[in-house]
Structure formats: structure tokens, C-alpha cells
Amino acid sequence: MSKHQHEPPYEIENQFIWRLPPEHAATVREIIRSGSVAMKDKLKIDLSSDGRHAAVEVKDVSLTAKVVDLPCVIGSLKTLDNKMFYKTADISQMLVCTADGGLHSSPEEAVTSTDLKVIKKKEKGRRKKYAWKHGITPPLKNVRKKRFRKTRRKCSDSPDSEKEVKRLLCSDAEAVSVRWEVIAEGETKEIESKGSVPSFEMSPGTSGYKRGDSSPVVEIRKHIHYMEKKIQEIQCRAQRQKNLIKKVENLTLKNHLYSVLEQLELQKKQKNEQIISLQEKLKFFLEK
């Protein structure tokens, strides 16, 4: 250490992306490729104390600049022989220059409050103000909004839905009596309450239909097909209830789901009985 104490310390390499208007970018590219010793006199960057604004000069042309935060970190590589590449830095910021002063903004206000929440809120607003919405290539326009957008939570994961379910279960537990019913979609209450088709309540012996009258046969077959379709729907709903019961851990909710499943099984039994009754009537008309 004593041998090198008079040597200047190594300068840590800091990198950022420099974005300029097209005409000034071409000028900077020519200056860099020329390798002129006077390059430092032609290119100047004066960074302000806030670390977010800068004054840039390109061949005596003044530009305003702002330091923005990129959506993600970009790795910088260096090579000496175009075969081996070495990582030199992680780039997370970009210096955006403009000639019309469009990036110029008022200086940052000093944080005078000692409240931690106020400080965090101002710091969050400051980061959001200097967050660059795009990538460094045209396909990555609005990438921050597209790639890092907030996803909408599922309804089942919503805390409000969970609270509402708990409230309903508590209300059922405290109630003196609870009545509920499951009504099949598209099915009238009259059919559900009577348990049979009103048009065919007569007994076979009192039937007034003549031999060869096919309209009752067609109607009965329609009702049988309708009942078979309803049984399939009930079976699908019952299977969904069984799958849901396997996933639920709350005992009260599981008991409620079991009661719904029992009601569906009862409906299925009633529909089967109605089909048997309709089949008997159909057999009577066919043998008449």
C-alpha cells in the first residue's frame, strides 16, 4: 500500500445511455469516431445538484437534459477482440436531451417535513416523475404499462368477498330458522311444486284421447326429453359442488355445500320419478 499511496485512486466506471435528437446524435457519433483530443471541448455535460437535470453542449449548441429511470436494468458489455465479451456495468438510467427545452421543469422542492409518511410519499412521487415509460428500442414503446401493469385480482381472492361470505354464514348461524331453495334456470315454479307435468295429470283410464291421436305422444316425448336435459344439468351442478367441497376447509361452509348437494340429489330423484310417470303415460298411448 505504501508504494502506491501517491498514485491517484482508480475511478469507478459509471455508465448511462445518452439519447439526443437525431441531428445532434450524428454529430456526437462523428466526434467520438474521430478520436480527436479536443473531444472534451466539444462535448460537455453539467449535471445539476439534484442529479436529475443537466445542461449539455454539443459543438457550442446548448441542450436541456433530464436523467430518467429505465424500466429494467440493461447489462453493458465490452470486447477487445470481438470474441470475448466482459460485463462492465449495469445501466439503469438514461440521459434524455432535447433542443426545445421540453424536459425542463421546476427545481425539486426541499423536504421540510419530518413525518416519515410524508417523506415516503414525496419520494414515491419523485420516482414516478422520472420513470421512463418506454424501452430503448421502438418495439418496447409503453413497455412499463404493458409488461409491468397491475393485474386485476380474482373475485374469489377479494377480501370484500371473503368478508361477505363470513357475514352471511354468521347470519345463518344466529338465525332461528333458515329457508332456501334452488330453482332450475328456465323451469317454472308450478312444475317444481307439483312434481309433475300439469297437462298429463289424468289417469290412463280416464283419458279422452282417441286411437291414432299422435299429438299427446309428441308432447309427452318432448317433456321426457326436457326432463332428461334437466337431469344432466343437475348432475353437472352436483359434480361442481363435489369438487368445491374438496377444496373448502371452512367447516361451516362445507356443511352448507353438503346441504346444497343433498338438495340437488333430491331434485334429481324427483326428475327421475317424473320421467318414469311420463314413460308410463307414453306407453299407455302407444298401446291404446
Side-chain angles (χ1 to χ4, degrees), residues 99-113:
D100 55 4
L103 296 174
H104 181 72
S105 59
S106 58
E108 297 290 333
E109 297 180 0
V111 180
T112 57
S113 175

Side-chain angles (χ1 to χ4, degrees), residues 194-197 224 227-228 231 265-281:
K194 290 185 178 181
S196 59
V197 182
I224 291 175
M227 290 297 173
E228 289 176 346
I231 289 176
E265 295 294 339
L266 180 61
Q267 289 182 18
K268 179 181 176 182
K269 183 179 179 182
Q270 291 175 352
K271 300 295 182 189
N272 285 325
E273 292 176 354
Q274 292 176 20
I275 289 178
I276 293 173
S277 176
L278 290 171
Q279 287 175 345
E280 291 178 354
K281 288 174 181 156

Side-chain angles (χ1 to χ4, degrees), residues 53-68:
H53 298 87
V56 178
E57 288 187 10
V58 179
K59 278 191 175 181
D60 299 329
V61 178
S62 298
L63 303 173
T64 57
K66 182 172 70 171
V67 179
V68 297

Side-chain angles (χ1 to χ4, degrees), residues 75-265:
S76 174
L77 303 177
K78 181 183 291 186
T79 181
L80 300 175
D81 55 1
N82 292 327
K83 295 180 180 179
M84 298 293 294
F85 290 84
Y86 304 92
K87 183 174 181 180
T88 57
D90 287 326
I91 302 175
S92 61
Q93 291 183 320
M94 179 169 62
L95 182 65
V96 184
C97 301
T98 180
D100 55 4
L103 296 174
H104 181 72
S105 59
S106 58
E108 297 290 333
E109 297 180 0
V111 180
T112 57
S113 175
T114 57
D115 190 358
L116 186 60
K117 291 183 179 179
V118 176
I119 296 174
K120 286 184 177 180
K121 186 176 180 181
K122 287 194 174 184
E123 182 63 25
K124 184 178 180 181
R126 185 172 180 269
R127 289 198 303 266
K128 188 176 180 181
K129 180 180 179 182
Y130 297 106
W132 192 249
K133 298 179 181 179
H134 320 291
I136 61 173
T137 58
L140 296 178
K141 185 177 181 180
N142 291 323
V143 69
R144 191 183 290 272
K145 183 178 179 181
K146 295 177 181 177
R147 176 64 179 84
F148 301 102
R149 67 183 182 272
K150 293 182 180 179
T151 57
R152 185 176 297 180
R153 300 179 64 181
K154 294 182 180 179
C155 182
S156 59
D157 298 336
S158 174
D160 296 334
S161 301
E162 187 177 352
K163 289 180 181 178
E164 182 64 17
V165 171
K166 290 181 179 179
R167 186 189 67 79
L168 292 173
L169 293 174
C170 291
S171 300
D172 289 349
E174 295 174 358
V176 177
S177 62
V178 178
R179 186 189 71 82
W180 59 273
E181 59 180 339
V182 178
I183 300 175
E185 184 178 358
E187 191 172 358
T188 61
K189 291 185 178 181
E190 183 179 4
I191 295 177
E192 287 289 332
S193 59
K194 290 185 178 181
S196 59
V197 182
S199 302
F200 303 99
E201 287 292 327
M202 77 288 289
S203 60
T206 58
S207 172
Y209 292 102
K210 295 181 180 180
R211 189 183 185 93
D213 191 355
S214 61
S215 59
V217 174
V218 174
E219 290 298 324
I220 293 174
R221 284 175 174 170
K222 285 183 179 179
H223 281 282
I224 291 175
H225 178 71
Y226 172 79
M227 290 297 173
E228 289 176 346
K229 186 178 179 181
K230 287 299 174 182
I231 289 176
Q232 292 179 356
E233 293 178 0
I234 293 173
Q235 287 176 342
C236 293
R237 292 174 58 190
Q239 185 61 42
R240 287 197 296 268
Q241 287 292 114
K242 292 177 182 178
N243 296 335
L244 187 59
I245 289 172
K246 295 178 181 178
K247 299 178 181 179
V248 172
E249 297 180 357
N250 186 286
L251 184 59
T252 307
L253 182 58
K254 183 173 287 190
N255 292 334
H256 174 72
L257 295 175
Y258 271 121
S259 62
V260 174
L261 182 61
E262 291 177 358
Q263 185 68 17
L264 291 173
E265 295 294 339

